[in-house]
Amino acid sequence: MKIIDAHAHIGYIGGWADVGITEEGLIAQMDEYNIEKTALCNEDNDLTLSVMKRHPGRIIGCVYVNPLNQKTVDDMDKYIEAGFAAVKLNPLRHAYCADAEIIDAVMEKAKKYNIPVCIHSGHPPYSLPWQVGLLAERHPDVKLMMIHMGHGHGVYIDAAIKMALRYPNIYLEMSGMPMPSKIREAYERVGADRIMFGTDTPFHHPTVEMQKVITSGLDKDAQQKIFYENASKFFGE
Ligand SMILES: [Zn+2]
């Protein structure tokens, strides 16, 4: 089966997480688990760009933007013109609400370049699925990936599916979300092209994340959409 990892990091993430992976480690992991391409983000966009250049065709660049830091918003143009294919937002990390107006400038720029936005979900008070829904509602022309589709809490996972049902520009990514049955539910109820596979490396391991798709009860054609085709379309890669 062909695989695209729709969400991963490199570098060391300290504090409570205390996890990390090097560039070489990521590429070795991709080779070992047959991952053709990885959508990669790091707060140092120059690092992501250099990894993209060193591994042509393997890395989908996601430009990491903090809406509270205007320089990162201004720099979007530079990185998108250099080949980045998506935007990454993490309201939890940078302490803003996912429905905050301050994100609108980022969304407008994504619309101008016709690239999708990937946004972390699952943590109050910043990144709950309902807030992502309000953001999607204000920007119906921008494709918005709800990373972790609500994450670890059943009520948030249910809300992620409800928000995606309501807003056709919301796409769901399943890394860190523990329930295989919800992958199947998203595929069947939200849409066959709106749920995709990711690892959130180095937070989670590819084998564990893959098992959730494999045990979801979906057939091989559906799994291939989740593992590869949907992300390929979403990122235009
Ligand atoms: Zn992540």
Side-chain angles (χ1 to χ4, degrees):
M1 208 163 287
K2 287 171 66 135
I3 300 170
I4 292 175
D5 181 349
H7 177 58
H9 310 260
I10 52 167
Y12 171 69
I13 298 104
W16 63 268
D18 190 25
V19 290
I21 192 167
T22 62
E23 173 183 345
E24 297 72 28
L26 176 76
I27 299 297
Q29 178 178 276
M30 288 169 68
D31 291 341
E32 184 174 359
Y33 295 100
N34 194 33
I35 297 169
E36 184 183 296
K37 297 176 191 180
T38 290
L40 186 68
C41 63
N42 184 287
E43 282 188 81
D44 180 354
N45 290 309
D46 286 327
L47 173 61
T48 305
L49 182 59
S50 67
V51 178
M52 286 162 68
K53 284 182 176 161
R54 276 193 287 274
H55 307 281
R58 304 295 308 275
I59 302 295
I60 301 166
C62 301
V63 54
Y64 210 132
V65 182
N66 173 3
L68 298 172
N69 177 350
Q70 184 59 39
K71 185 177 185 307
T72 69
V73 181
D74 294 340
D75 281 350
M76 281 175 73
D77 302 85
K78 174 177 89 178
Y79 291 113
I80 294 165
E81 279 155 22
F84 282 67
V87 177
K88 163 72 189 286
L89 295 171
N90 191 335
L92 174 69
R93 178 156 184 82
H94 291 129
Y96 58 88
C97 290
D99 60 344
E101 281 74 13
I102 193 149
I103 309 174
D104 288 347
V106 178
M107 299 297 282
E108 287 302 326
K109 239 179 221 195
K111 182 182 170 181
K112 176 180 146 195
Y113 287 103
N114 193 27
I115 62 169
V117 174
C118 307
I119 187 164
H120 176 91
S121 77
H123 296 93
Y126 297 119
S127 60
L128 294 177
W130 303 273
Q131 295 168 306
V132 175
L134 290 173
L135 182 66
E137 185 177 65
R138 286 209 305 282
H139 301 280
D141 299 329
V142 178
K143 286 197 261 178
L144 192 57
M145 180 206 283
M146 197 192 297
I147 299 168
H148 311 308
M149 57 183 290
H151 222 248
H153 195 305
V155 171
Y156 300 164
I157 299 163
D158 181 56
I161 289 174
K162 283 175 176 157
M163 290 300 105
L165 281 168
R166 177 171 293 210
Y167 301 110
N169 53 325
I170 291 182
Y171 293 70
L172 301 171
E173 185 275 340
M174 44 62 59
S175 66
M177 189 284 298
M179 296 177 69
S181 61
K182 292 297 177 185
I183 295 172
R184 178 176 185 160
E185 184 182 338
Y187 183 89
E188 290 176 343
R189 289 183 63 213
V190 175
D193 62 342
R194 286 171 60 202
I195 165 83
M196 55 194 113
F197 169 79
T199 66
D200 199 15
T201 295
F203 290 90
H204 308 293
H205 196 275
T207 49
V208 177
E209 298 306 302
M210 285 172 186
Q211 280 303 316
K212 295 189 304 197
V213 180
I214 292 164
T215 58
S216 66
L218 291 166
D219 66 22
K220 288 273 186 288
D221 286 347
Q223 289 182 29
Q224 186 60 90
K225 284 201 175 77
I226 294 170
F227 274 128
Y228 190 89
E229 291 164 25
N230 293 348
S232 176
K233 249 191 275 176
F234 181 82
F235 290 108
E237 291 276 332

